[in-house]
Amino acid sequence: SGTLKSPAHDKAVLPLRRIQQRCQADHEEMFKQYEEENHEDRGDTPVRKQAYTTDVTVEALTAVLNDNPRGIAVLRDELTGLVLSMDQYRAGKGADRQFYMSTWNGAQITSNRVSRPDLVVDRPFVCISGGIPPDVLGDLADKQGRDDGFINRFLLAFPAERKVRWTDESVPENIVSLYCKVFDDLWNLPDLPAVLLMTAKAKDCYQQWFDEHHAEMDDPGFPEHIRGVYAKMDGYCGRIALIHQLVRHVCEDAAGTHIGEESVIAAAAMVAYYKSHALMIHNRVYADKRDRRVLG
C-alpha cells in the first residue's frame, strides 16, 4: 500500500481509456441519428462498443460480451474489490468465480434468464487487470481454503519496492503517442479471432520450452502449492506469443499470418519473469499475520 501502484496501472491502460472515449463519442452520435430517424425507418438500437468496464455483474458482463465479441477488459484499481463483490447479490450462493474461471478457458456462455433475452457468447474473452497489496493476497483465495484454481489464472507480479522521491521526469509525449498507436492499430485489425499457426522454428522453440518447463515441475523438490500456477503457463506462453506477434505486425516489424520464433522466445522470457515471482507470491496467499511478518 502506498507504493504508487494505481498511477502505474493508469499509465499502462491509458490507450484503453482513449479508445473508450472514442467509442462513447461514436455511440452518442449513432444514437442521435437513430433518434432523429422516423420510427418506421429505424433499425436496431445502436450497440455500445467499449474496451473495458470497471464495475459489472456477471449477468451484465455477459451482455457486454455479446455486444463486444472481440472481448472486454475489467479494470479494477484494487483486485480485492472484484473478488469480494462476487455473489454479493445472491447472498454468497452464486457462481461468479466459476464464471470467470470458465471465461479464462474461453468456454461458451449460454445465459437463460427470465428477465432478459437468452444470450449465447461463443468465444468470451475477458482480461482482468489491477493491483493488490501483498497483505490481502489471501482475499483472492477461496473462502473455505480450497484450491479451486481461481488464483492460478492470474499473472501476478511482485516487483521490488522502490523509494518514492520527487522527480520532474515523465514519459515523453511522443512515446505515449506511439504506445497508444499500438493499441489503436490492434483495435483496428480485421475481425478476430483469427488462427495463427507457428512456423516450424517457432514450434521447435515452443516444444523445447514446454519440455523444460514440465521437467522443472517433475523435480521431486518442486513446491506443490504452485503446481497449478505452472500448469497454466503452457497456455500463457502461447497467448503471449500471439500478442507479441500481432504487436510486431502492427508495428510493421513482422507478418500477421503466423507466429515466429522471435515471439515465442519473447513469450518464454515473460513467462520466466512471472514464474520467478510465483513462489514468493503464493507463499503469502494462505499466510496468516504471523507468517506474513516472517515473510517480510
Side-chain angles (χ1 to χ4, degrees), residues 110-135:
T110 302
S111 179
N112 305 105
R113 299 279 179 170
V114 174
S115 59
R116 69 173 189 216
D118 296 342
L119 294 176
V120 176
V121 182
D122 193 35
R123 295 183 180 91
F125 182 80
V126 181
C127 177
I128 302 173
S129 179
I132 183 170
D135 280 356

Side-chain angles (χ1 to χ4, degrees), residues 2 21 26-27 86 90 102 157 201 213-214 232 244 272 287:
Q21 290 172 350
D26 291 343
H27 178 75
M86 290 181 177
R90 291 181 289 276
S102 65
K201 287 186 177 181
H213 173 66
H214 281 269
K232 295 291 183 288
H244 189 270

